[in-house]
């Protein structure tokens, strides 16, 4: 069973997943990065551009999902280096530091809350420009207009986006639009209306994006 709650870290989500069926559901692109706890290991999930399908038997996971663009400052690694990857935290931080953190999470009654506390201790203040970018893209604003509002050129905004999100602002905008459409479809909105309200040209456009990001159809996803 999957459960989540808002984190005390701004914009983040604390979650646990204890599978009860045949396996774990695919993790879909959402513009976020996660700090994970799984079978005694601390891992980092980088930003996805396609569905990630966990390997192995269904076992419990705990995690902290960061607000888009905020994890790289805490981890001290550019997001594009982790794109479509799951890596052990020891690949990013000194092994001795990770051992101490791992022991702390292992001793905690709730590993997900322990991950949240670790992040709260190390988190940097959010970048207002990146927050504005995410909000504006989610509202469907053009990238060039957002760059002008921020006083940045499109190329400079692209470079900053690679570091913060793992990909450029146009890809982030597509992923945020896909997530909007998925939320609407899960509420039972017909696919054509979902496409229109989420900002797609038509239902076929929505279907192409779903196929590219997930490798399947919207109908299969909703099942």
């Amino acid at each position: 069973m999957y459960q989540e709650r808002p984190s005390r870290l701004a914009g983040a989500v604390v979650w646990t997943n204890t599978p009860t069926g045949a396996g774990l559901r695919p993790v879909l692109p959402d513009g976020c990065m996660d700090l994970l706890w799984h079978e005694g290991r601390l891992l980092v999930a980088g930003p996805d551009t396609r569905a990630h399908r966990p390997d192995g038997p269904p076992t419990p996971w705990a995690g902290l999902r960061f607000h888009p663009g905020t994890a790289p400052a805490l981890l001290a690694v550019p997001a594009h280096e982790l794109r479509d990857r799951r890596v052990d935290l020891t690949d990013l931080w000194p092994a001795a530091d990770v051992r101490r953190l791992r022991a702390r999470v292992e001793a905690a009654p709730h590993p997900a809350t322990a991950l949240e506390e670790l992040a709260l201790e190390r988190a940097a203040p959010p970048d207002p420009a990146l927050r504005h970018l995410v909000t504006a893209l989610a509202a469907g604003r053009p990238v060039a207009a957002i760059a002008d509002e921020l006083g940045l050129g499109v190329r400079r905004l692209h470079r900053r986006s690679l570091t913060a999100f793992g990909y450029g602002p146009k890809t982030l905008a597509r992923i945020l639009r896909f997530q909007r459409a998925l939320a609407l479809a899960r509420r039972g909105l017909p696919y054509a209306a979902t496409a229109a309200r989420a900002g797609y040209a038509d239902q076929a456009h929505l279907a192409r994006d779903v196929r590219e990001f997930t490798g399947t159809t919207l109908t299969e996803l909703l099942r």
Side-chain angles (χ1 to χ4, degrees):
M1 181 172 63
Y2 176 84
Q3 294 180 306
E4 66 175 42
R5 65 167 174 82
S7 171
R8 289 172 288 157
L9 184 67
V13 173
V14 177
W15 60 268
T16 58
N17 192 7
T18 306
T20 56
L24 291 165
R25 293 181 180 181
V27 180
L28 305 179
D30 58 5
C32 301
M33 296 173 60
D34 292 60
L35 180 61
L36 307 170
W37 175 255
H38 181 239
E39 296 187 326
R41 297 172 63 200
L42 284 167
L43 305 130
V44 174
D48 292 320
T49 60
R50 57 183 181 269
H52 171 76
R53 290 172 169 80
D55 296 325
T59 52
W61 290 75
L64 176 70
R65 182 176 306 114
F66 294 93
H67 188 273
T70 59
L74 182 147
L75 297 170
V77 61
H80 63 82
E81 294 186 8
L82 303 176
R83 185 172 53 234
D84 292 317
R85 298 176 62 199
R86 270 60 179 165
V87 302
D88 199 292
L89 191 58
T90 53
D91 293 340
L92 309 177
W93 289 358
D97 292 347
V98 177
R99 280 196 300 271
R100 286 192 293 270
L101 297 175
R102 190 167 56 226
R104 179 173 163 184
V105 176
E106 200 159 25
H110 304 291
T113 301
L115 295 178
E116 178 184 32
E117 292 171 351
L118 294 177
L120 284 166
E121 292 170 4
R122 296 169 175 259
D127 184 332
L130 296 178
R131 285 297 183 102
H132 178 78
L133 174 62
V134 172
T135 301
L137 290 175
R141 300 286 308 286
V143 172
I146 300 170
D148 287 342
E149 291 169 2
L150 295 173
L152 303 170
V154 172
R155 290 185 179 180
R156 186 178 173 195
L157 181 61
H158 185 83
R159 290 194 298 270
R160 290 188 64 175
S161 294
L162 286 178
T163 299
F165 306 107
Y167 28 65
K170 291 186 178 180
T171 298
L172 178 60
R174 291 181 61 211
I175 288 172
L176 295 176
R177 182 177 60 189
F178 159 71
Q179 284 290 335
R180 287 199 304 275
L182 190 57
L184 290 168
R186 282 173 172 160
R187 283 159 42 189
L189 201 68
Y191 292 173
T194 290
R197 287 187 56 181
Y200 288 92
D202 51 31
Q203 187 174 333
H205 185 196
L206 167 62
R208 288 194 299 272
D209 261 18
V210 170
R211 175 68 69 176
E212 179 177 339
F213 288 136
T214 72
T216 188
T217 65
L218 187 55
T219 299
E220 288 296 324
L221 276 182
L222 296 180
R223 288 176 182 166

